[in-house]
Every structure is written in structure tokens, then in C-alpha cells.
Amino acid sequence: MPYRRLSRFVTAATTVSTTSTVTAALATVGVLALTAPVAASAPVSPASPATPVSPASLATPASPAAPADLSVGSSSLAAPLPRLSRSSDHLTITVSDSGKAATNGTYELYCHPARGTHTDARGACDKLDSLSRWGKDLFAGVPKGSKCTMQYGGPATAHITGTWAGRPVNAQFSRADGCEISRWNRFVPVLPSVAS
């Protein structure tokens, strides 16, 4: 019987098998399987190269492996990758001339978890999370040379400083033209909703 190619990722049924079974099966077909911690893992003797691997032999139920012994590339939900801490997400938001005395002032916003003196910390953090994109400056100003409508949105201004996603933030907001109004509105509820 010819050798059967295993899929690149271990299926959910095979994640139940022990690490030694998966490691031996992967070694048979020439795939490198790493375990962590290496020093603490028991030595595994690879199966004979002449022994064919059947899917049934991989799906033999056994006790679940400990999270530290799962093979690299395993799709098991038992050992999720650790989420990087973003507890350093802290912004200071200063709003002036918004037309409402209740929204003018300086607010502290902490995210992950949401807290601070901001009037809608949860909504503001959710909005910032939804706007965040890898490799893009969330707080970048309107690009130079942009064609913007000559529309005045009022004297409201805002200044945001702090750290977001590990990057320093120092952004100015106004409502001086159509592009700036659109940029401001994209940040509501981080910035207060202002009528033009």
C-alpha cells in the first residue's frame, strides 16, 4: 500500500491522541514536530520508515496531552496562543469648543479593560479596536494634497495623546473642512458628537 500523505494540519480527531503518537506519525512522513518544553519531553522513538501510516492509527483516542506537550501547528483549542497584553493602551483626550460644556474638558481613557474618566469608555475602546488595522496609523491626519470640501464644521478641536497598540499617539483634530469633519466623525464616540 503506498504511503498516504497527511494533511498539513492535524485534524481535531488527532489532537486527542498523545504527543508521542502524533510525533511518531509525523516523523514517519518526514514532518518535523516540535514540542515544548524540549528538555522536559520524553524521548520518542520514530516509527520505522517502512511502516505505512493510516488515519485510523492517528485517531486512536487517548488521554489529552498537556498544553505544554502539544505539537507546534496543532489546531487544538485546549491550548490557545497567549493574547498579548495591551493593558498599556492609555489615551488622554482634550476637547475644546465643542458647543456643549459637558463634553469640553480632558478625559483619561484606558482600554483592555475599558475604564477611565471618559463618558463612554467601553464604546470608545470598541470603536478604536474596530478602526485599528495592522500597519496603519489609526491617528494619522488628513494626507497633504487631499481634495476637501470647503465646509466649516465649527470651532471644536481635540488633542489625543498617549499610547495605542504599543505606539505613541499625538494627534490633533478639528472641523475646519470636509476631510477634517469626516475624520472627527470617524472617531465618535472617542470624540464627542458635534453638530455642524
Side-chain angles (χ1 to χ4, degrees):
M1 176 176 183
Y3 290 107
R4 296 191 64 175
R5 290 188 75 192
L6 294 175
S7 68
R8 186 170 158 210
F9 297 101
V10 181
T11 62
T14 60
T15 57
V16 180
S17 64
T18 63
T19 303
S20 61
T21 304
V22 173
T23 305
L26 292 174
T28 301
V29 293
V31 176
L32 176 62
L34 301 175
T35 57
V38 175
S41 64
V44 176
S45 60
S48 164
T51 307
V53 177
S54 70
S57 68
L58 291 177
T60 305
S63 62
D69 292 337
L70 290 175
S71 296
V72 172
S74 171
S75 61
S76 174
L77 296 177
L81 292 175
R83 182 176 173 181
L84 296 175
S85 174
R86 290 193 48 198
S87 61
S88 64
D89 290 342
H90 167 244
L91 298 174
T92 302
I93 304 159
T94 304
V95 179
S96 304
D97 301 321
S98 67
K100 300 176 194 169
T103 58
N104 288 337
T106 300
Y107 304 95
E108 298 293 325
L109 176 65
Y110 295 87
C111 295
H112 311 108
R115 62 194 187 284
T117 59
H118 193 281
T119 56
D120 183 11
R122 167 64 50 212
C125 290
D126 289 346
K127 182 63 168 187
L128 290 169
D129 283 337
S130 72
L131 292 174
S132 295
R133 299 286 180 263
W134 180 258
K136 301 286 184 184
D137 183 4
L138 170 66
F139 297 95
V142 176
K144 293 188 186 297
S146 295
K147 307 268 190 252
C148 303
T149 59
M150 298 303 294
Q151 168 184 3
Y152 182 65
T157 60
H159 185 210
I160 300 178
T161 59
T163 304
W164 182 260
R167 293 182 173 179
V169 175
N170 187 4
Q172 297 284 345
F173 292 82
S174 72
R175 298 178 60 83
D177 59 33
C179 295
E180 291 290 346
I181 293 169
S182 177
R183 181 173 173 243
W184 181 293
N185 290 343
R186 198 171 62 244
F187 279 86
V188 171
V190 178
L191 300 175
S193 179
V194 177
S196 297

